Amino acid sequence: MNDFEKLAQLLFPDISATTQDYADKYPPRPLPEGARVTRFAPSPTGFMHMGNLFPAYVSKLTADATGGVFYLRIEDTDKKREVKNGVQAILEGLQAFDILPDEGAAGEESETGDYGPYRQSRRRDIYRCFAKELVKNGLAYPCFCSEEDLDELRSKQEEQTVNKGYYGQWAPCRNLSFAEQKEAVRSGKTFVVRLRSPGDENRRIVFEDMIKGKIEMPENIMDIVLLKTDGLPTYHFAHAVDDHLMHTTHVIRGDEWIASVPVHIQLFKVCGFKVPKYAHVSPLMKDEEDGGRRKLSKRRDPEAAVSYFIQEGYPKQSVLEYLLTLINSNFEEWRRANRQAPLSSFPFNLKKMSASGALFDLVKLNDVSKNLVSQMSAAEVFEAALNWAEKYDETLFALFSKDPEYAENILSIDRGNKKPRKDIAKWSEIKDYTEYFYDELYAPSFDLPENILPADAAAILEAYLKVFDTADSREVWFEKIKDLCPKLGYTPNVKEYKDTPEKFKGHVGDVTTVIRIALTSRQNSPDLHAIMNLLGQQRCAERMQTAFEFFKSVNN
Ligand code: GLU
């Protein structure tokens, strides 16, 4: 046994498995040529940022487009950052938007797939085995420096204005003899395991990022920590071992990781692993009021949280469609040409992703969503809204559950025709949208447009109350309203009004507006005939009577 081998045995007496054992346990995946294996590898911090969901979706699309595998790995070696139920929060975020992993962590405890465990905290021995192998080959070493030693090192580096860090001549434990190492271990000194970096500060690495293109950076020269004093790996080391054993072909992640690529590529090479392909996704951006742009921020923007979209009740399809518009600029064109096609048939292309940060624009998302919701059937909207309300809106849930047929009838208005209304973007808007159909919610307030006087509104309602019948056909209903016009100083003919406005108080549209306000307290609403039909004769009569009295009293 040479000294390196002895050192390996000294540091890891408990590790008997070899890296070959793991290679045998996790053989190459039986996938067709060209299939890409991608992963989402979050830390379970309890908060899922849209900026994480975004690359996760890109990872899934990449795997799906090639018949590959997309898996979920939980990077929980930093115990300080971990929160209770953190995995659940991640899974909920993914599930809410159908970004379902093919394998990996599947619950706070459970998981699926042959390449696990998928939680780094459960892979301790695997990392220790790979660290042992590196030590055995002289590629890693124990570092016994205390925090104070490191502080001292840093101050010296500061004095001499050299790069800070543990490297080359600034790495005192790099060249300890075996006798010294043995002595330190025997005396119970704690240690970390560091990489013996083969980097040279005069050399540069070049790699081809699939989104950003060719990137050149200085080689890593730091003897980075692989195992911490508690024996758990650092993120850098753990992810390299994992991506190797789980056969990740494409590492797709936020571009805040670009700076770490020199370390990562070096680690893969030192360990003898095939270097994966990289695709670094630019952050989602937000327009500033002053015209500038900044990153979507957890602190400042509620929409940075994936949970926001769940709580607001955005249909998952809307969010995915919107994200796709950001992911591939040809998506919208494809969508126009393939209106009914499932999203999975979109020919996604990783290389078509923009290298600069996409603007995350809620107004655009709302438009995408309104469009999509307008295409849904009343039954679908009802079902989805009910599901959402069960968790997030008790009142709406109670109203919808009490009379599903009535709710569906409300949602049917102006739906299923050629030009459906586009007023609903998310389920949290439905209560307001349907409010006047429910006496429990409805709080009348009668605001007239400026061109209609209360006295005229009262006169319109007084006359209409005598003739209306909610059972009338649409034609008869409209005829009756038109019939009222001349007697009240209005014209049934909009064109006539436009030509000679001085002859009238207004036109039939104004008369309808008064009726609409009396019944719904709104100047705009879906089809009034359908609304009246649903409200029924008695409720319409009562509401118009109330409004009539109100306008009359204003007048007096
Ligand atoms: N655990 C890292 C994170 O929280 C993953 C980085 C990577 O995907 O390599 O973002």
Side-chain angles (χ1 to χ4, degrees):
M1 258 208 234
N2 66 26
D3 281 354
F4 288 144
E5 287 166 346
K6 283 191 223 152
L7 178 63
Q9 203 48 37
L10 177 71
L11 301 181
F12 302 99
D14 54 319
I15 299 294
S16 52
T18 64
T19 52
Q20 187 56 47
D21 292 337
Y22 289 114
D24 295 341
K25 186 164 176 206
Y26 305 111
R29 293 169 178 275
L31 291 171
E33 181 84 22
R36 294 175 175 179
V37 179
T38 62
R39 83 301 195 273
F40 177 41
S43 296
T45 58
F47 182 84
M48 178 93 135
H49 197 292
M50 221 37 200
N52 290 133
L53 192 80
F54 189 52
Y57 188 33
V58 177
S59 299
K60 179 174 170 59
L61 289 167
T62 303
D64 287 355
T66 56
V69 174
F70 165 62
Y71 70 87
L72 172 64
R73 184 172 74 221
I74 304 298
E75 309 218 317
D76 57 352
T77 57
D78 186 354
K79 290 290 166 198
K80 282 189 261 67
R81 290 180 66 205
E82 202 171 329
V83 299
K84 215 167 163 254
N85 299 331
V87 177
Q88 207 46 45
I90 293 163
L91 285 166
E92 272 168 25
L94 294 176
Q95 277 155 6
F97 300 105
D98 265 355
I99 304 179
L100 304 176
D102 300 310
E103 64 182 49
E108 216 51 64
E109 292 303 322
S110 58
E111 56 181 43
T112 59
D114 296 333
Y115 291 81
Y118 294 88
R119 221 164 292 230
Q120 291 185 329
S121 56
R122 298 188 184 166
R123 299 171 65 78
R124 194 167 186 267
D125 281 355
I126 303 181
Y127 306 124
R128 289 170 60 76
C129 172
F130 279 82
K132 183 176 185 179
E133 179 77 9
L134 290 178
V135 171
K136 208 162 115 189
N137 294 321
L139 299 167
Y141 63 89
C143 165
F144 302 95
C145 288
S146 62
E147 277 306 319
E148 294 77 53
D149 295 335
L150 296 177
D151 283 345
E152 206 177 304
L153 191 74
R154 265 191 293 271
S155 339
K156 276 197 202 143
Q157 289 172 331
E158 225 156 79
E159 271 166 34
Q160 302 189 21
T161 54
V162 293
N163 280 343
K164 288 206 201 78
Y166 208 89
Y167 62 98
Q169 66 187 99
W170 296 100
C173 293
R174 198 175 223 248
N175 300 315
L176 295 182
S177 68
F178 178 60
E180 288 168 313
Q181 290 165 326
K182 197 161 134 190
E183 175 48 33
V185 172
R186 289 270 149 87
S187 68
K189 274 200 169 179
T190 54
F191 62 87
V192 298
V193 175
R194 289 187 183 272
L195 172 73
R196 192 186 299 280
S197 171
D200 176 335
E201 61 186 341
N202 298 315
R203 280 199 308 250
R204 295 177 77 76
I205 63 147
V206 180
F207 71 98
E208 188 69 29
D209 187 279
M210 292 184 76
I211 296 172
K212 309 254 178 192
K214 190 169 153 186
I215 297 182
E216 206 185 309
M217 283 196 268
E219 217 171 63
N220 172 57
I221 56 164
M222 298 293 159
D223 285 357
I224 58 147
V225 176
L226 304 178
L227 295 184
K228 298 177 277 189
T229 46
D230 59 5
L232 280 174
T234 54
Y235 151 70
H236 296 304
F237 186 51
H239 105 284
V241 171
D242 293 345
D243 280 333
H244 167 67
L245 291 178
M246 297 176 183
H247 300 277
T248 308
T249 62
H250 289 64
V251 168
I252 298 166
R253 58 187 175 188
D255 70 1
E256 68 274 19
W257 294 103
I258 285 195
S260 305
V261 171
V263 170
H264 294 175
I265 290 185
Q266 188 172 74
L267 267 176
F268 276 89
K269 289 194 170 154
V270 166
C271 294
F273 304 156
K274 183 165 185 241
V275 181
K277 292 232 164 24
Y278 288 101
H280 286 96
V281 179
S282 303
L284 297 172
M285 306 298 281
K286 174 134 181 151
D287 271 339
E288 291 261 50
E289 265 153 36
D290 66 6
R293 269 193 189 181
R294 60 171 173 81
K295 280 190 201 174
L296 193 64
S297 139
K298 173 178 170 179
R299 207 165 38 82
R300 294 166 69 181
D301 310 311
E303 72 270 30
V306 170
S307 56
Y308 170 85
F309 300 88
I310 302 174
Q311 282 154 16
E312 288 289 303
Y314 277 95
K316 59 176 91 174
Q317 176 89 0
S318 307
V319 175
L320 293 181
E321 296 248 348
Y322 176 61
L323 290 181
L324 269 171
T325 65
L326 305 182
I327 288 172
N328 271 184
S329 57
N330 58 329
F331 173 74
E332 280 172 277
E333 200 186 315
W334 175 85
R335 183 39 105 202
R336 276 193 292 276
N338 302 276
R339 283 194 191 281
Q340 303 301 329
L343 281 186
S344 55
S345 61
F346 171 66
F348 161 78
N349 187 341
L350 189 53
K351 290 205 164 142
K352 283 211 181 106
M353 272 194 80
S354 155
S356 57
L359 179 69
F360 191 76
D361 179 2
L362 274 184
V363 176
K364 179 87 193 285
L365 166 63
N366 285 341
D367 283 348
V368 168
S369 197
K370 281 180 187 166
N371 207 8
L372 193 122
V373 173
S374 78
Q375 309 289 330
M376 290 168 73
S377 70
E380 285 166 338
V381 173
F382 171 73
E383 194 63 37
L386 186 71
N387 275 337
W388 171 84
E390 184 168 16
K391 209 157 163 202
Y392 298 104
D393 190 334
E394 227 177 284
T395 316
L396 185 71
F397 183 70
L399 291 171
F400 268 29
S401 320
K402 201 170 75 191
D403 192 345
E405 195 185 322
Y406 182 60
E408 242 186 85
N409 284 336
I410 299 172
L411 297 168
S412 299
I413 300 177
D414 286 345
R415 187 175 289 281
N417 50 14
K418 261 211 166 126
K419 274 193 118 194
R421 282 180 76 91
K422 296 182 180 172
D423 345 54
I424 304 169
K426 48 190 180 178
W427 309 137
S428 52
E429 289 170 352
I430 287 200
K431 187 152 75 187
D432 178 64
Y433 181 74
T434 58
E435 174 242 347
Y436 52 84
F437 286 100
Y438 293 103
D439 294 338
E440 299 88 327
L441 297 178
Y442 182 54
S445 81
F446 307 117
D447 285 333
L448 290 170
E450 270 172 20
N451 63 328
I452 304 175
L453 296 172
D456 291 322
I460 290 170
L461 292 173
E462 189 174 26
Y464 190 52
L465 270 160
K466 291 189 194 125
V467 296
F468 88 98
D469 184 343
T470 56
D472 282 342
S473 69
R474 178 179 306 279
E475 291 68 31
V476 174
W477 169 84
F478 196 41
E479 279 312 314
K480 281 186 179 172
I481 295 178
K482 285 199 282 191
D483 278 353
L484 294 180
C485 289
K487 295 172 223 158
L488 297 161
Y490 290 77
T491 165
N493 186 331
V494 180
K495 186 168 178 304
E496 186 180 23
Y497 178 74
K498 286 200 174 135
D499 292 344
T500 50
E502 67 286 354
K503 284 171 60 188
F504 306 98
K505 287 182 173 167
H507 58 75
V508 64
D510 300 313
V511 174
T512 320
T513 295
V514 170
I515 300 170
R516 189 187 312 278
I517 291 171
L519 293 171
T520 67
S521 298
R522 296 172 191 221
Q523 294 184 18
N524 288 306
S525 77
D527 177 18
L528 188 58
H529 171 253
I531 292 174
M532 291 180 65
N533 195 271
L534 259 185
L535 286 174
Q537 187 74 12
Q538 198 190 334
R539 268 203 289 180
C540 287
E542 284 165 8
R543 287 190 185 184
M544 287 194 283
Q545 187 64 36
T546 309
F548 163 69
E549 278 157 24
F550 171 80
F551 291 131
K552 235 174 92 180
S553 71
V554 174
N555 205 21
N556 288 335

